[in-house]
Amino acid sequence: MTEQLDHVTIGAVLAPVSAEETRWREERVRSKFWRTVKRAVRQIPFMDEVVAAYYCALDTETPTRARGILLASLAYFVLPTDLIPDFLVAFGFTDDLAVLTAAITAIRPHIKDHHRQAAKRALEDNNR
């Protein structure tokens, strides 16, 4: 199924957008991220990096371009009706995996140790 999400589609998801669209994405990510994490935690093997990317995206010290890429991928992640709807067991998050992998790979140097530490604490707190 991931073949359906080619580089052109990923590029479209991660393409730069207006400041207004970026603000909308940030609001959507802030409001829906943790609920989506709880649904996807068993299906995304690198959830710790996804959560670290979340903290990186919300960090005002992160460069604007990197924040934009992360917010785009995270907004796609929290959107329930994307290319492959998330409610489809075993397949629902495959397109999200591709988008998240591309985004995290592109901005990996901007995810700092303090983002990863915050992610580790948050995931531990959510597992209690």
Side-chain angles (χ1 to χ4, degrees):
M1 291 223 142
T2 55
E3 297 86 28
Q4 294 176 359
L5 193 67
D6 60 17
H7 293 291
V8 174
T9 305
I10 291 173
V13 170
L14 301 179
V17 294
S18 69
E20 182 179 327
E21 176 68 16
T22 299
R23 280 191 298 279
W24 179 87
R25 288 175 176 179
E26 184 173 346
E27 289 172 18
R28 183 157 189 95
V29 167
R30 284 181 186 271
S31 69
K32 298 184 182 297
F33 182 76
W34 292 108
R35 181 175 44 212
T36 306
V37 166
K38 288 177 183 178
R39 285 193 347 258
V41 72
R42 290 189 185 105
Q43 296 177 33
I44 297 182
F46 54 94
M47 188 57 79
D48 55 335
E49 280 295 292
V50 173
V51 176
Y54 169 79
Y55 286 111
C56 183
L58 301 182
D59 184 349
T60 57
E61 297 294 315
T62 300
T64 303
R65 183 176 179 278
R67 288 184 78 225
I69 289 169
L70 288 174
L71 287 170
S73 67
L74 293 169
Y76 188 84
F77 172 60
V78 303
L79 189 67
T81 55
D82 46 32
L83 186 63
I84 302 171
D86 294 341
F87 63 83
L88 293 175
V89 178
F91 296 110
F93 288 101
T94 53
D95 58 326
D96 301 273
L97 277 167
V99 171
L100 290 166
T101 298
I104 290 170
T105 299
I107 59 80
R108 185 169 306 281
H110 300 290
I111 300 177
K112 305 298 184 192
D113 287 339
H114 63 277
H115 300 134
R116 289 188 176 91
Q117 290 300 317
K120 181 179 177 183
R121 284 190 304 276
L123 288 168
E124 287 171 356
D125 290 347
N126 281 323
N127 286 330
R128 289 181 191 167

